[in-house]
Amino acid sequence: MNSIEHNLSVIKQRIATACERSGRDVGDVKLLLATKTVPAERIQTAIELGSNLLGENKVQELKEKAPMLNESELDFNYHFIGHLQSNKIKDVVKYASCIQSVDRLSLAKKLQKRLELEDKTIDVFIQVNTSREESKFGCAPEDTLELVKQVALLDRMNIKGLMTIGLFSANEDEVRPCFQILKKLQQEIHTLNLDNVDPKELSMGMSGDLEIAIEEGATIIRVGTAVFGERQYPDSYYWNEKKPT
Ligand SMILES: *Cc1c(COP(=O)(O)O)cnc(C)c1O
């Protein structure tokens, strides 16, 4: 067994255990592989082992790897999970089937324009900054309902879910509320009864906190390190664009 295969089986076991503990069906929790910094050939190995949901943080990496992976003729979907600058929308729309990181109306409006131009539609999630850390992107929880209402008016985007990055803390009692906030927002959006808005997916939980996220209702967990190993750059590089010094 290679290491990716081994790591995937460990993750699947962790998912199964967390589902069992919280009375959930394993079929209701999808595994998204966060593939930042991972070369295309290792990603291909994971796809061959049955992982077909991928997430990329940087447009540049998406643009490089997606065409390489497309050549393999394997079946997979790329979600964009990183901070999206509006001048890079074009490539994301080309290669991603879903953008999980829509966090502001100005970005959504630019996306709408691009999608109109290409006569396309795309699935989106609204990213919420549930930990309120300044270093993280995402819409403030109290602004989320308004953003959802506004994005719902843009007909080229289908709001399919909510996404968050939980607080980085070894203290479970600090992490769990982040996921509870996302779940509560989902319920509040549901009661708004907006046409065509049904954010069924809750994308939350990563290598370190996926069990808590599953207990709180995650339908997509995003895992990188636990499958591909440690990364060279700290995550701050991916989350607030600052190059490590
Ligand atoms: C890197 C990343 C992940 C995965 O993090 P790990 O701790 O490596 O599992 C999940 N979500 C986002 C947005 C990421 O950038």
Side-chain angles (χ1 to χ4, degrees):
M1 224 193 251
N2 67 42
S3 68
I4 292 176
E5 185 173 14
H6 171 78
N7 294 347
L8 278 172
S9 76
V10 172
I11 284 291
K12 286 189 181 138
Q13 189 53 54
R14 284 176 64 187
I15 296 172
T17 306
C19 282
E20 201 170 320
R21 194 166 54 229
S22 44
R24 299 190 57 199
D25 189 335
V26 280
D28 293 339
V29 181
K30 291 185 273 287
L31 172 62
L32 175 147
L33 298 183
T35 52
K36 53 179 179 263
T37 78
V38 180
E41 57 190 44
R42 300 192 75 215
I43 301 173
Q44 186 173 335
T45 302
I47 301 173
E48 281 162 358
L49 289 164
S51 292
N52 54 17
L53 187 55
L54 312 173
E56 209 66 70
N57 288 68
K58 293 268 181 202
V59 176
Q60 188 58 36
E61 287 191 52
L62 178 70
K63 205 165 110 175
E64 280 166 20
K65 293 180 228 174
M68 291 165 87
L69 291 169
N70 280 329
E71 270 177 31
S72 70
E73 291 184 5
L74 292 162
D75 193 26
F76 64 92
N77 270 305
Y78 246 132
H79 284 195
F80 191 75
I81 60 173
H83 178 59
L84 181 52
Q85 291 165 311
S86 38
N87 59 346
K88 301 202 172 138
I89 283 174
K90 201 175 131 202
D91 290 310
V92 171
V93 166
K94 185 164 178 190
Y95 294 115
S97 63
C98 173
I99 301 172
Q100 293 200 6
S101 47
V102 172
D103 61 355
R104 56 200 192 277
L105 187 58
S106 59
L107 172 67
K109 284 184 172 162
K110 284 182 183 142
L111 262 169
Q112 170 78 13
K113 277 205 183 130
R114 184 73 216 176
L115 291 160
E116 280 172 2
L117 197 72
E118 297 191 14
D119 196 16
K120 268 184 162 179
T121 59
I122 200 165
D123 290 346
V124 298
F125 293 4
I126 302 296
Q127 181 177 358
V128 185
N129 186 358
T130 55
S131 68
R132 297 183 177 278
E133 289 166 288
E134 276 188 31
S135 62
K136 287 185 189 152
F137 291 105
C139 167
E142 63 274 20
D143 298 334
T144 303
L145 296 191
E146 187 54 35
L147 180 60
V148 167
K149 284 184 204 167
Q150 297 297 326
V151 174
L153 300 172
L154 304 172
D155 65 350
R156 297 288 168 152
M157 274 158 279
N158 303 310
I159 303 176
K160 291 288 175 71
L162 302 176
M163 186 269 259
T164 199
I165 300 171
L167 185 77
F168 272 120
S169 165
N171 183 354
E172 220 184 283
D173 297 337
E174 290 180 346
V175 182
R176 191 176 296 277
C178 296
F179 301 143
Q180 290 170 333
I181 288 169
L182 206 68
K183 177 77 196 178
K184 184 155 171 279
L185 283 169
Q186 181 192 43
Q187 289 161 343
E188 287 171 7
I189 292 164
H190 192 70
T191 58
L192 292 177
N193 250 322
L194 298 169
D195 276 349
N196 301 320
V197 178
D198 188 11
K200 285 204 168 66
E201 307 288 357
L202 286 180
S203 174
M204 55 190 196
M206 318 198 313
S207 293
D209 56 14
L210 65 92
E211 282 87 356
I212 308 171
I214 290 172
E215 285 165 20
E216 299 302 332
T219 64
I220 298 178
I221 54 164
R222 307 178 308 268
V223 177
T225 315
V227 171
F228 297 110
E230 293 294 333
R231 289 177 293 269
Q232 189 190 348
Y233 291 136
D235 285 338
S236 57
Y237 170 52
Y238 287 90
W239 293 341
N240 55 25
E241 316 265 287
K242 285 198 195 86
K243 278 249 190 204
T245 45

